[in-house]
Amino acid sequence: MKDLLRLRTSLTEEIETLLNEQIKVEAHSSSVYLAMSSWCNRNGFDNSADYFQKQSGEEREHMLKLFGFINDMGGRAISPEVTNIPQEFESFRAVFETALQQEIYVTQQFNRIADRCFKAKDFMSFQFIQWFLKEQIEEEYIARRALELFDVIGEEGTGRWEIDKQVPKIKYEN
Ligand code: FEO
């Protein structure tokens, strides 16, 4: 029965599993960003709260893009369970450190998927993944620049207030 089902799709079980795992990663990222948004809101950083809410929406879109691809290819996209979302963060800076680490992790995961697609000669999935790899350049850039604001502006006095003001202004131009 399992083999019969595979006849309906050129996705191998391995690639389908990897893509479903990535759906989970994106859903997790979306929820973590939402938790960051709430933390920022509670602590008076309104602009950052909006920024993380927007990021959360983007991660959900990434998740849906993967979800749609698996189903369009005749595979079985799995609606993810999301657990272990941190609700508290040590500091304003720690929120941005976590965000950058999260983006670097996502990049590593996509590199891993691209590598597996290439080795499996699944060039359709390999091509599909390229969009995400390009997107990660921007995602990492913005997360890195946001974190750098802490050193450039400094946190003393009205520093955090100023950082919060600058966060939504970061733009990636390529
Ligand atoms: Fe979907 Fe921010 O990576």
Side-chain angles (χ1 to χ4, degrees), residues 34-173:
L34 211 52
M36 288 172 171
S37 175
S38 177
W39 188 94
C40 288
N41 194 298
R42 294 199 298 280
N43 287 279
F45 302 115
D46 273 1
N47 295 309
S48 299
D50 290 348
Y51 163 81
F52 283 120
Q53 190 162 331
K54 192 171 142 271
Q55 285 299 116
S56 172
E58 283 188 17
E59 300 305 342
R60 183 175 159 77
E61 278 173 30
H62 296 169
M63 179 194 81
L64 291 176
K65 212 172 165 76
L66 288 153
F67 195 88
F69 177 76
I70 297 173
N71 279 340
D72 287 351
M73 288 290 290
R76 189 168 74 127
I78 295 171
S79 178
E81 269 184 47
V82 181
T83 52
N84 291 327
I85 306 301
Q87 304 295 335
E88 293 300 330
F89 299 89
E90 262 175 40
S91 63
F92 190 34
R93 185 186 184 117
V95 172
F96 286 90
E97 280 168 350
T98 307
L100 178 58
Q101 280 163 15
Q102 181 168 281
E103 289 305 336
I104 290 171
Y105 175 71
V106 169
T107 302
Q108 287 167 347
Q109 292 307 105
F110 276 117
N111 277 335
R112 188 170 141 251
I113 296 171
D115 179 59
R116 295 314 307 165
C117 290
F118 198 78
K119 287 195 170 119
K121 295 191 171 26
D122 179 351
F123 297 114
M124 278 196 269
S125 301
F126 183 74
Q127 192 192 36
F128 169 71
I129 288 304
Q130 304 309 303
W131 183 89
F132 291 91
L133 288 171
K134 191 161 179 277
E135 178 79 0
Q136 280 312 114
I137 299 173
E138 180 174 342
E139 300 263 297
E140 272 194 36
Y141 174 89
I142 291 175
R144 197 175 303 113
R145 281 281 177 258
L147 185 57
E148 282 167 3
L149 289 175
F150 285 80
D151 293 327
V152 172
I153 296 171
E155 293 186 65
E156 300 73 32
T158 56
R160 287 192 203 102
W161 177 82
E162 185 61 31
I163 292 166
D164 182 55
K165 227 168 71 172
Q166 295 302 323
V167 164
K169 296 183 188 163
I170 301 167
K171 294 271 177 296
Y172 175 72
E173 320 253 353

